[in-house]
Amino acid sequence: MKENNYKWTALSCTTIGALFSVLSGSTLMIALPVIMKDLNAGVGVIMWTIMGYMLVLTILVPSIGRIADMFGRKKLYVSGFALFTVSSLLCAMSQTGVELLIFRTIQSVGASLMIANSTAIITDAFPKHELGKALGINAMIVSVAAVIGPILGGFLINFGWRTIFYINIPIGVFGTIWAGVSLVELHKSARNETFDFKGTFSFTIGMLALLVALTIGGFTQWSSRPVVILFIIAAVLLGLFVYTETHSKYPMLDMTLLKTRILSFAYLSTLLNGIARGAVTFLLIFYFEGARGFDPVTAGILLCPFAVAMMAVSPISGSLCDKYGSRVLSSVGLLISAAGLLGLMEIRTNSSTFSLIICMILTGIGSGMFFSPNTSSIMANVPEDKRGIAAGVRTMFMNAGMVLSIAISMAVISSSISPAAMQALFVHSHVSAGSIASNQFISGLRVAFTISFIFSLFAAFISYLRGPAPKWNSQSAKN
């Protein structure tokens, strides 16, 4: 197989996986109010079908990335595709909100296996001077899924929300077979290395305790006993994790990734961007379907400008990154996102659709300018034997930011509106657009967007502080 042809084959396989996972999430997001009503589920359970999914990704992806560096990427990627497909069938058969939550959690394990390996597979296949373009194309396809998803979800709801999961099955079967047949294991795995079970255990439980404490604390009392206990557990285990990793011959997480300036600031800006932007789509869906009373199809169409703008800009920014570097592109992108969020801070029940579209376009352009160059700066500046864990850590920070974003936003909104009123607003239980509940929701929404704006500015500042490319002492480096 010619190397030049294989790189595009690898990109097609991993892009189908990205399309698969993002399409599933974006179609589900638009259906949340309908699922709440059909399964008679509370806001908390439905929110956790989204947050729990990202929580598992945050925790598992770094460990899976390390396993991939040790044993290879192809088998893990194909296994993830198959698991995601089977769990989609289980989600479609859910009879309660809790069942859906459990099966979505299983689905997130499959997604972790795909996501942890897809970026590394692309980086293995492409030469360094074409990596930005490849990642930009991948990001563009992801944006296509984000465009199609809400519209498709709104359309499929007419046949029942379960069809959102059923449609995953043919895509998953094709993608699993295509990846299994086409992918080649280019990475030479280090089978003589041992897996860091102590570090993996302390990281997994410590991160789980920390993220659960942060989300529960936002909805209850920060000083409540369960939250305090979880914070203590997190502090002890994450402290043990850092100690273990600095003294282990084969650590799960190579701490030099966080000690290198260009990588540490790229990771930190990823986290901050996740906090700034993670809840935007989630909040706008409930704004359009709840406060404005639009049907799911209309709401899906109104969300398109964000994804269309990101789709258009991602491949361009990726190619520009190959020529001019990531620092300025990523930082300017975050500032443009901040401009869009600044406009959303003024959102009202009667805001003009045109003004909202402009704000979403700006946020989408900024996201497209940030994502590809920032990812390229991480993956292009680590040696081959660290790509799996480098990609895993990037995903960990991105998803941790998104989990925190939704938790913070929902905590802000929950403080301004009663749970019963929120439930009624989200399932369209005869709550008018000018009601007290609707006004309270809008008030909380504006505060949430203000917080997002501040984090976006902070992310731009951090992104600009990244330094020169590191010099690694590694036997394997990218040509």
Side-chain angles (χ1 to χ4, degrees):
M1 180 181 294
K2 294 182 179 179
E3 181 180 349
N4 192 54
N5 292 331
Y6 174 70
K7 64 185 180 183
W8 298 111
T9 301
L11 181 62
S12 70
C13 290
T14 54
T15 299
I16 290 173
L19 178 71
F20 187 43
S21 57
V22 173
L23 190 64
S24 176
S26 58
T27 52
L28 176 64
M29 193 85 75
I30 202 73
L32 290 179
V34 176
I35 295 173
M36 283 174 60
K37 190 172 184 178
D38 186 57
L39 295 181
N40 194 27
V43 175
V45 172
I46 293 300
M47 182 193 70
W48 272 98
T49 62
I50 302 298
M51 291 183 58
Y53 185 91
M54 292 186 291
L55 190 65
V56 172
L57 289 180
T58 305
I59 294 168
L60 289 187
V61 165
S63 303
I64 293 172
R66 173 59 183 151
I67 294 171
D69 284 339
M70 292 177 61
F71 301 109
R73 321 198 198 284
K74 176 181 175 178
K75 289 181 180 178
L76 293 177
Y77 183 81
V78 175
S79 299
F81 231 131
L83 181 59
F84 197 99
T85 304
V86 173
S87 57
S88 293
L89 176 61
L90 295 175
C91 287
M93 298 170 65
S94 300
Q95 298 300 314
T96 66
V98 174
E99 284 186 10
L100 179 60
L101 174 58
I102 293 170
F103 295 141
R104 275 281 289 174
T105 302
I106 297 173
Q107 193 179 54
S108 66
V109 176
S112 298
L113 289 164
M114 287 194 292
I115 292 171
N117 289 282
S118 60
T119 306
I121 288 172
I122 293 173
T123 308
D124 287 342
F126 278 82
K128 196 171 185 178
H129 67 276
E130 292 183 335
L131 183 58
K133 178 174 67 175
L135 292 171
I137 293 172
N138 185 263
M140 179 185 70
I141 299 301
V142 168
S143 300
V144 170
V147 172
I148 297 172
I151 301 174
L152 180 62
F155 171 74
L156 290 175
I157 288 173
N158 294 319
F159 306 96
W161 62 265
R162 298 177 194 278
T163 56
I164 289 173
F165 292 105
Y166 283 129
I167 200 173
N168 288 341
I169 297 172
I171 301 173
V173 170
F174 171 78
T176 302
I177 295 173
W178 175 240
V181 171
S182 303
L183 287 180
V184 175
E185 189 61 73
L186 296 178
H187 172 62
K188 295 181 180 179
S189 55
R191 294 182 182 274
N192 59 323
E193 296 182 4
T194 57
F195 186 70
D196 179 16
F197 287 101
K198 184 186 294 184
T200 301
F201 174 80
S202 57
F203 171 82
T204 301
I205 305 303
M207 280 295 294
L208 178 63
L210 175 62
L211 292 174
V212 172
L214 289 170
T215 52
I216 293 178
F219 286 92
T220 58
Q221 295 287 332
W222 291 105
S223 58
S224 66
R225 180 177 295 181
V227 173
V228 172
I229 291 174
L230 286 170
F231 274 127
I232 293 174
I233 293 173
V236 172
L237 290 178
L238 292 178
L240 176 62
F241 169 72
V242 172
Y243 176 82
T244 301
E245 300 310 277
T246 54
H247 291 80
S248 175
K249 185 177 181 180
Y250 301 114
M252 184 207 88
L253 173 58
D254 191 334
M255 299 302 286
T256 56
L257 292 174
L258 302 180
K259 293 178 181 178
T260 305
R261 180 169 174 172
I262 190 171
L263 296 178
S264 61
F265 281 87
Y267 283 136
L268 183 54
S269 59
T270 298
L271 173 69
L272 294 170
N273 179 60
I275 297 174
R277 214 180 49 72
V280 171
T281 302
F282 184 81
L283 294 173
L284 286 175
I285 284 172
F286 283 113
Y287 168 76
F288 286 134
E289 293 192 45
R292 296 291 291 268
F294 293 133
D295 63 86
V297 175
T298 303
I301 293 172
L302 289 173
L303 288 170
C304 285
F306 171 80
V308 169
M310 185 174 175
M311 176 182 67
V313 171
S314 291
I316 299 172
S317 66
S319 296
L320 290 174
C321 172
D322 291 334
K323 294 181 180 180
Y324 304 111
S326 62
R327 183 184 187 187
V328 173
L329 280 170
S330 296
S331 304
V332 171
L334 289 166
L335 289 176
I336 294 174
S337 285
L341 292 168
L342 180 64
L344 290 175
M345 287 165 52
E346 299 300 318
I347 195 169
R348 292 178 173 82
T349 307
N350 59 351
S351 291
S352 74
T353 302
F354 178 76
S355 65
L356 294 176
I357 288 174
I358 294 299
C359 292
M360 285 188 280
I361 288 174
L362 286 174
T363 308
I365 290 173
S367 298
M369 286 185 65
F370 170 76
F371 179 81
S372 300
N374 191 67
T375 304
S376 181
S377 72
I378 293 171
M379 299 307 296
N381 287 298
V382 293
E384 181 185 339
D385 62 337
K386 299 180 189 293
R387 285 175 187 157
I389 186 61
V393 172
R394 184 194 71 84
T395 303
M396 176 190 75
F397 279 114
M398 179 178 68
N399 283 286
M402 295 180 73
V403 169
L404 291 174
S405 180
I406 294 177
I408 292 170
S409 298
M410 293 305 292
V412 167
I413 292 173
S414 296
S415 67
S416 63
I417 183 173
S418 69
M422 187 186 301
Q423 182 90 3
L425 181 67
F426 289 171
V427 299
H428 320 304
S429 297
H430 310 293
V431 179
S432 66
S435 68
I436 295 176
S438 181
N439 291 332
Q440 290 173 335
F441 172 69
I442 295 297
S443 176
L445 198 61
R446 295 175 71 175
V447 174
F449 284 134
T450 300
I451 294 172
S452 293
F453 168 73
I454 294 170
F455 272 103
S456 193
L457 289 180
F458 189 27
F461 175 70
I462 294 297
S463 178
Y464 192 74
L465 292 179
R466 70 185 71 196
K471 295 180 180 180
W472 294 94
N473 294 320
S474 177
Q475 294 180 346
S476 57
K478 188 75 176 171
N479 294 328

